[in-house]
Amino acid sequence: MSSGAALNSNNNNNDDDDNSNSTTGGNISVQKPTRRRIADFIDHVDKLPNIPSDYSYYISDEEESNSINNANNSSSFNGSFSGPHDHFHNHQGVRCHRALRRKLCAFLPDACRGKNMVRKVMVVLLFMAVVSVFVKVPVLSNRFDVSSKSRVRDKGLVLARMFKDDWAFSQRVVAEDNKQEPSIPIRVLEKISTPEIWMKPNSDNYYQCIARPKSQISNNKKTNGYIVVHANGGLNQMRTGICDMVAVAKIMNATLVLPLLDHESFWTDPSDFKDIFDWRHFMNVLKDDVNIVEYLPTRYARKKPLLKAPVSWSKASYYRNEMVPLLKKHKVIKFSHTDSRLANNGLAGSIQRLRCRANYEALRYSKDIEDLGKILVDRLRNNSEPYVALHLRYEKDMLAFTGCSHNLTAEEAEDLRVMRYNVKHWKEKEIDGRKRRLQGGCPMSPREAALFLKALGYPSTTTIYIVAGEIYGSSSMAAFREEFPNVFSHSTLATEEELEPFKPYQNRLAALDYLVALESDVFVHTYDGNMAKAVQGHRRFEGFRKSINPDKQNIVRLIDQLEEGAISWEEFSSEVRSLHSDRLGGPYLRQPGESPRLEENFYANPFPGCICDRSQERVAGLKLDERLSSRAA
């Protein structure tokens, strides 16, 4: 019952209480008194006796009525009860109450007249307390004696709560009372308060290390020539390709012309570099690394550049030995392809750091994209709820390219086959989709993704943002929504007016998805494509935010066993969690491969190169000290 309801209840029963306590024909009928707590105030705390902390002051309605009658019949009422009585209370507390009532009556004489005087006073006090909360001015604050707080705490008796400082005060009391107990580390507290499914991997010893030393600031204005780059592919493929070309320009001591974007890929997006990226910011951040110009100088603008397609995964020596002589001769070279044209490993540390400065600092999206991205993230975080960004690459172009048609109808599968044959630069035409799926080479279907998330422990109430374009298949998303109904995308989260400037441009929509995925509490990808690599790497660079990398080959095997009834749901879930305990985006060194094509992508894991380990640095420092000490000896 609320305080207001309790007050009304007491007022309604007031007359009955008075009548029940009257004398009738010599027999006294006493009704059990209703007990009510009276406020104790700090200004009288010095007068309180040493009493147990669990003792509280009470005065009954019966006692109150009798005391008023005694007061009316006495010419020298002093606030105490006269005559014998057989109930227990502390008279000192009653005297405090009487003293307070006299002070209030001096200011509010009308409220003190009549038999309901105490109830009227309590109504006034309640009203004053409510007002003090709203205007942030604690009533009677001038009566608080700061020095009394420690005595109150030592006695264990909480006499008052200040509306504004109660939490800070209580925390301070707890800390002082438990000085002998060791404090809990911050990381342990985070683990207690954060459910395991949302916890990021431990990365306390790791930090970003891409700063440019002053000694490496480029003051050389002399250039070997100009590089015009045509970034090819989708947004994320172009993004990483541009970063590589920044590094290539540094290697070749060339001037980079603001990149051209691909307008002929599957999406045929006409957007230019300036439409998607903050081009002035790009040039300004990199001005001490490489020379970047908006356009070719007039004397070269009409000259046909030398067209070259650099060899994939090339070392720095390739560009210095083969490309620089051509650049000096022709003065302008146009690179027709930029995807994967620089090696993942075996490059100077300064070049690796430059790639990261270009990717994580210079390539900022245009203001309209950044602003809408922040709005979408805020809407997903309604009431501070976490969310999962699911890169569900179950789109028509990817399914046609990979030859995967699991969970699709025969007509939909045929449509994909026709598309694959119509795209001339896709070399692989005849594909066994069933075999590829069992090998883990297909994007996970929406149904497979739902089973995967559920097995990991994400509840059906989880907010999920789909990082993708239109999902292919007439009923593909129905199975997913059965398990996770709180599903959003840029098309459902943004209003029509907000999305209107972006609709015709797939690369700008992809940029929105990139921002929402980057800021998510958990990122999950279902196909290891360019978007997955770019977002994973960026999240590692930003402190190893949780990014789940599915073991698709084993997931497919387990899902098939589950559907065949060979294993139970409990066995399936346990096996999925065990398989992915170390696939959560935690720190590990970038994995080498038998060939550059099989290496782990630099932008998917920029460690080493752009992320450093403090523990390794400490070990290296100790070894260096030992060598210096041995030499000195």
Side-chain angles (χ1 to χ4, degrees):
M1 180 183 295
S2 65
S3 59
L7 185 61
N8 292 333
S9 175
N10 290 334
N11 288 339
N12 293 337
N13 296 331
N14 182 54
D15 296 336
D16 295 336
D17 291 341
D18 291 340
N19 294 334
S20 66
N21 293 332
S22 61
T23 304
T24 306
N27 294 327
I28 300 176
S29 175
V30 179
Q31 183 177 347
K32 186 177 180 180
T34 302
R35 304 184 73 84
R36 184 169 73 238
R37 185 182 299 273
I38 290 181
D40 303 308
F41 291 85
I42 297 257
D43 62 332
H44 294 286
V45 69
D46 293 332
K47 301 178 182 179
L48 296 178
N50 291 329
I51 58 176
S53 62
D54 59 348
Y55 180 78
S56 58
Y57 293 102
Y58 289 94
I59 183 168
S60 67
D61 291 342
E62 178 186 5
E63 294 164 354
E64 178 183 85
S65 179
N66 290 336
S67 67
I68 294 173
N69 293 333
N70 291 335
N72 293 334
N73 296 329
S74 175
S75 60
S76 59
F77 175 65
N78 61 4
S80 64
F81 289 107
S82 61
H85 41 277
D86 57 3
H87 58 270
F88 176 79
H89 61 244
N90 187 288
H91 283 220
Q92 184 67 24
V94 174
R95 285 196 296 272
C96 292
H97 165 64
R98 299 302 180 195
L100 172 64
R101 188 163 61 184
R102 287 200 302 274
K103 293 178 182 179
L104 288 175
C105 288
F107 291 96
L108 301 170
D110 292 338
C112 296
R113 297 192 182 100
K115 60 183 179 181
N116 294 328
M117 181 267 290
V118 172
R119 291 177 176 78
K120 293 178 182 178
V121 170
M122 293 304 294
V123 170
V124 172
L125 288 176
L126 180 62
F127 174 76
M128 294 171 67
V130 171
V131 171
S132 69
V133 172
F134 283 99
V135 299
K136 304 294 185 182
V137 179
V139 177
L140 305 177
S141 62
N142 57 318
R143 296 181 179 272
F144 278 76
D145 182 4
V146 177
S147 64
S148 67
K149 289 183 181 178
S150 59
R151 293 195 298 273
V152 172
R153 183 174 65 253
D154 295 337
K155 296 175 182 179
L157 180 62
V158 179
L159 299 175
R161 293 180 62 195
M162 296 180 65
F163 293 103
K164 187 174 181 181
D165 299 326
D166 58 346
W167 172 250
F169 177 72
S170 63
Q171 289 292 88
R172 189 164 62 252
V173 171
V174 172
E176 291 177 2
D177 289 344
N178 295 280
K179 285 182 178 178
Q180 70 278 9
E181 298 181 5
S183 59
I184 302 176
I186 294 177
R187 176 158 290 278
V188 175
L189 289 173
E190 289 177 352
K191 290 182 178 180
I192 293 173
S193 60
T194 305
E196 185 178 359
I197 57 174
W198 301 109
M199 285 171 54
K200 64 185 288 291
N202 186 0
S203 58
D204 291 345
N205 288 326
Y206 299 86
Y207 66 98
Q208 301 172 1
C209 50
I210 63 171
R212 179 197 314 101
K214 292 183 178 179
S215 60
Q216 293 181 7
I217 294 178
S218 177
N219 294 318
N220 184 15
K221 299 302 180 181
K222 187 178 180 180
T223 179
N224 290 327
Y226 295 84
I227 296 177
V228 178
V229 300
H230 176 262
N232 63 297
L235 174 68
N236 293 286
Q237 185 172 314
M238 291 191 290
R239 181 186 179 107
T240 55
I242 290 169
C243 298
D244 282 352
M245 291 300 107
V246 169
V248 167
K250 180 71 172 180
I251 293 169
M252 295 176 62
N253 189 28
T255 298
L256 180 67
V257 181
L258 213 59
L260 305 173
L261 302 189
D262 192 344
H263 298 158
E264 299 176 357
S265 62
F266 173 75
W267 298 279
T268 61
D269 188 329
S271 300
D272 291 323
F273 186 90
K274 293 181 180 180
D275 297 319
I276 297 178
F277 299 104
D278 185 340
W279 63 279
R280 290 188 177 87
H281 178 78
F282 176 75
M283 295 175 66
N284 185 61
V285 170
L286 299 173
K287 68 180 187 298
D288 292 330
D289 293 298
V290 294
N291 295 326
I292 304 177
V293 295
E294 189 177 353
Y295 305 106
L296 277 172
T298 306
R299 65 182 181 277
Y300 296 120
R302 297 181 181 179
K303 184 178 180 180
K304 186 177 181 179
L306 177 66
L307 191 64
K308 295 292 291 185
V311 176
S312 298
W313 296 292
S314 295
K315 302 284 188 180
S317 57
Y318 164 79
Y319 289 98
R320 290 196 186 101
N321 298 334
E322 297 190 30
M323 293 292 112
V324 169
L326 292 174
L327 180 63
K328 289 181 176 180
K329 179 180 178 181
H330 296 274
K331 292 302 179 183
V332 180
I333 290 181
K334 182 177 182 180
F335 289 144
S336 60
H337 291 74
T338 61
D339 59 314
S340 304
R341 304 295 151 163
L342 194 59
N344 293 305
N345 303 301
L347 298 172
S350 60
I351 296 298
Q352 299 289 56
R353 290 190 291 273
L354 176 57
R355 294 168 92 177
C356 287
R357 283 199 297 277
N359 195 18
Y360 305 131
E361 293 184 352
L363 279 180
R364 185 173 68 188
Y365 291 119
S366 59
K367 187 178 184 303
D368 55 342
I369 295 174
E370 291 275 348
D371 289 347
L372 184 54
K374 291 176 183 176
I375 290 173
L376 299 187
V377 170
D378 288 343
R379 287 174 184 167
L380 286 167
R381 290 199 190 284
N382 185 31
N383 298 323
S384 300
E385 290 294 324
Y387 71 93
V388 172
L390 176 64
H391 182 41
L392 194 57
R393 193 68 168 93
Y394 207 70
E395 299 164 277
K396 187 175 182 179
D397 67 310
M398 181 54 65
L399 295 175
F401 176 75
T402 57
C404 301
S405 57
H406 185 68
N407 289 144
L408 296 176
T409 65
E411 292 78 9
E412 290 167 343
E414 176 61 19
D415 191 23
L416 296 176
R417 190 189 70 83
V418 171
M419 180 181 178
R420 183 167 63 254
Y421 274 88
N422 288 338
V423 179
K424 294 180 180 179
H425 63 271
W426 289 352
K427 297 178 181 179
E428 196 174 11
K429 303 299 183 183
E430 286 298 324
I431 301 174
D432 186 342
R434 182 178 179 278
K435 181 179 179 180
R436 177 159 290 186
R437 175 178 174 270
L438 293 175
Q439 293 172 343
C442 286
M444 293 170 66
S445 70
R447 181 177 180 278
E448 291 170 338
L451 291 173
F452 176 61
L453 291 173
K454 184 178 179 181
L456 289 174
Y458 291 94
S460 60
T461 55
T462 302
T463 298
I464 298 178
Y465 182 87
I466 301 297
V467 183
E470 184 179 356
I471 303 300
Y472 188 70
S474 58
S475 59
S476 294
M477 285 300 295
F480 189 90
R481 287 195 174 92
E482 285 181 5
E483 296 291 347
F484 297 97
N486 296 330
V487 180
F488 300 92
S489 66
H490 56 243
S491 59
T492 61
L493 204 57
T495 65
E496 286 290 330
E497 293 77 13
E498 290 169 337
L499 213 56
E500 189 63 31
F502 300 87
K503 275 185 177 179
Y505 310 105
Q506 291 299 316
N507 285 331
R508 301 185 205 184
L509 292 173
L512 281 177
D513 283 347
Y514 185 99
L515 291 172
V516 178
L518 178 63
E519 295 299 324
S520 64
D521 298 272
V522 177
F523 174 68
V524 183
H525 67 85
T526 62
Y527 185 77
D528 194 25
N530 293 303
M531 165 71 95
K533 289 183 174 70
V535 174
Q536 278 186 96
H538 203 157
R539 289 173 65 84
R540 284 189 168 105
F541 181 76
E542 293 294 342
F544 294 94
R545 298 173 180 176
K546 191 167 189 175
S547 304
I548 302 176
N549 177 18
D551 182 350
K552 292 200 298 296
Q553 186 171 3
N554 278 312
I555 289 174
V556 166
R557 173 181 60 83
L558 290 170
I559 288 176
D560 289 347
Q561 291 178 357
L562 179 67
E563 291 179 337
E564 294 166 359
I567 58 174
S568 66
W569 172 258
E570 289 72 20
E571 292 171 323
F572 172 78
S573 179
S574 176
E575 186 69 15
V576 167
R577 296 187 191 197
S578 176
L579 284 170
H580 295 85
S581 60
D582 60 349
R583 301 174 70 94
L584 306 177
Y588 66 86
L589 295 173
R590 190 168 53 257
Q591 298 175 346
E594 297 178 358
S595 66
R597 183 182 293 274
L598 299 177
E599 289 178 339
E600 186 174 17
N601 184 273
F602 173 80
Y603 295 104
N605 184 8
F607 173 56
C610 303
I611 300 171
C612 295
D613 184 355
R614 290 189 182 90
S615 60
Q616 290 184 353
E617 291 174 352
R618 285 193 290 267
V619 171
L622 291 173
K623 290 182 178 178
L624 178 61
D625 290 342
E626 290 177 0
R627 287 198 299 268
L628 293 175
S629 299
S630 61
R631 288 178 183 176

